[in-house]
């Protein structure tokens, strides 16, 4: 296993602007398929609203009066027209509001994400660009040309910095592109995308924090502490 993978960094004109290192501990680890499956199932479960609800016979309006007398009719005895066997009656064992979320440790999420990224990197589907627009204004046409130079595949995940409004505005309305901020990168979105494209700033931000299982707040705190030591 090599220590570092190296990929070319393209600028907005599609030309090589340098190289970027993809650390092996993030982009060349063994892919644990059962772990990835568990994390993705938990993520999709957490996205469920769980607001489904049906009424039992005690919650359906009406049915307070006995529909007909107990004996002498030749029919089965009934106490309410809101029993489950009647149209308009209650539902037996129907869905009720519930929370579908599952507890998933942060280290498991980080490990699954590293495995998914490693799978894409080994297939040559992780790319890095210095930017998507040649100027200081958003340009969807230029951004699409950059993506065309990288890959012609259908689904592309673009990872940007939170303050990168130029890239965000350039690609936010493109149907085949899914935009994410570096600290929101997750296993599911990597798996459903054919290619993963990082901006240089987003890659640096990702490797500094979420890639190691740490949040942006923890990274900022460490940076502040380092600055205090140098004073």
């Amino acid at each position: 296993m090599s220590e570092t993978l190296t990929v070319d960094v393209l600028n907005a004109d599609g030309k090589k602007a340098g190289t970027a290192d993809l650390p092996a501990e993030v982009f060349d680890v063994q892919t644990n398929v059962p772990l990835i499956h568990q994390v993705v199932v938990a993520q999709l479960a957490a996205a469920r609203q769980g607001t489904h609800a049906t009424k039992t016979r005690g919650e359906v309006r009406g049915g307070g009066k006995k529909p007909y007398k107990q004996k002498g009719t030749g029919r089965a005895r009934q106490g309410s027209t809101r029993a489950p066997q009647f149209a308009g009656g209650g539902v037996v064992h129907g869905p009720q509001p519930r929370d579908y979320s599952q507890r998933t440790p942060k280290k498991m999420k980080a490990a699954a994400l590293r495995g998914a990224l490693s799978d894409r990197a080994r297939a040559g589907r992780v790319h890095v660009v210095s930017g998507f627009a040649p100027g200081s204004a958003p340009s969807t046409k230029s951004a699409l040309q950059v993506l065309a130079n990288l890959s012609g595949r259908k689904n592309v995940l673009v990872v940007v910095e939170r303050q990168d409004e130029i890239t965000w505005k350039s690609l936010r309305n493109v149907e085949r592109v899914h935009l994410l901020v570096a600290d929101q990168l997750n296993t599911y979105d990597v798996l459903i995308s054919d290619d993963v494209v990082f901006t240089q700033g987003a890659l640096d931000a990702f490797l500094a924090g979420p890639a190691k299982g740490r949040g942006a707040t923890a990274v900022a705190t460490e940076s502040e502490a380092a600055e205090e030591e140098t004073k």
Side-chain angles (χ1 to χ4, degrees):
M1 184 182 294
S2 60
E3 293 184 359
T4 302
L5 299 175
T6 303
V7 295
D8 293 337
V9 178
L10 299 184
N11 58 21
D13 297 322
K15 299 179 181 179
K16 182 178 178 180
T19 60
D21 293 333
L22 304 179
E25 61 267 20
V26 178
F27 292 94
D28 195 16
V29 302
Q30 183 177 1
T31 302
N32 188 334
V33 176
L35 172 62
I36 291 177
H37 176 268
Q38 181 178 344
V39 170
V40 170
V41 168
Q43 181 176 343
L44 294 179
R48 299 184 66 175
Q49 289 184 326
T51 55
H52 43 41
T54 55
K55 292 183 179 181
T56 66
R57 62 181 295 172
E59 296 170 331
V60 179
R61 183 178 181 182
K65 180 182 177 182
K66 189 174 178 65
Y68 47 81
K69 64 181 182 178
Q70 182 83 346
K71 296 179 179 292
T73 64
R75 291 183 291 179
R77 53 193 175 188
Q78 302 292 341
S80 170
T81 55
R82 297 299 179 262
Q85 67 268 26
F86 287 104
V91 177
V92 181
H93 305 307
Q96 295 295 322
R98 56 168 291 192
D99 181 12
Y100 282 95
S101 63
Q102 304 175 18
R103 180 185 176 277
T104 308
K106 291 181 180 179
K107 289 185 178 181
M108 289 179 61
K109 294 179 182 178
L113 177 56
R114 289 193 295 266
L117 288 173
S118 296
D119 179 73
R120 291 293 182 264
R122 283 191 287 266
R125 297 189 177 190
V126 174
H127 313 279
V128 182
V129 298
S130 60
F132 282 93
S136 57
S139 174
T140 300
K141 182 178 179 180
S142 299
L144 289 177
Q145 185 59 49
V146 173
L147 291 179
N149 295 331
L150 294 173
S151 170
R153 298 182 181 93
K154 182 178 180 181
N155 299 311
V156 180
L157 173 62
V158 177
V159 187
V160 300
E161 292 180 275
R162 189 170 293 277
Q163 65 272 18
D164 189 356
E165 293 187 2
I166 294 178
T167 300
W168 195 272
K169 291 180 179 179
S170 297
L171 291 171
R172 63 185 176 183
N173 291 326
V174 180
E175 184 178 2
R176 73 186 187 97
V177 174
H178 183 47
L179 281 168
L180 277 182
V181 179
D183 57 12
Q184 295 177 339
L185 188 60
N186 61 85
T187 305
Y188 176 74
D189 285 318
V190 172
L191 292 180
I192 64 173
S193 301
D194 298 318
D195 287 82
V196 181
V197 182
F198 288 89
T199 62
Q200 182 67 67
L203 178 62
D204 294 339
F206 173 70
L207 293 176
K212 298 181 180 179
R214 300 179 296 171
T217 303
V219 175
T221 303
E222 292 180 5
S223 300
E224 294 174 359
E227 292 178 1
E228 291 294 334
E229 292 179 359
T230 57
K231 292 181 181 180

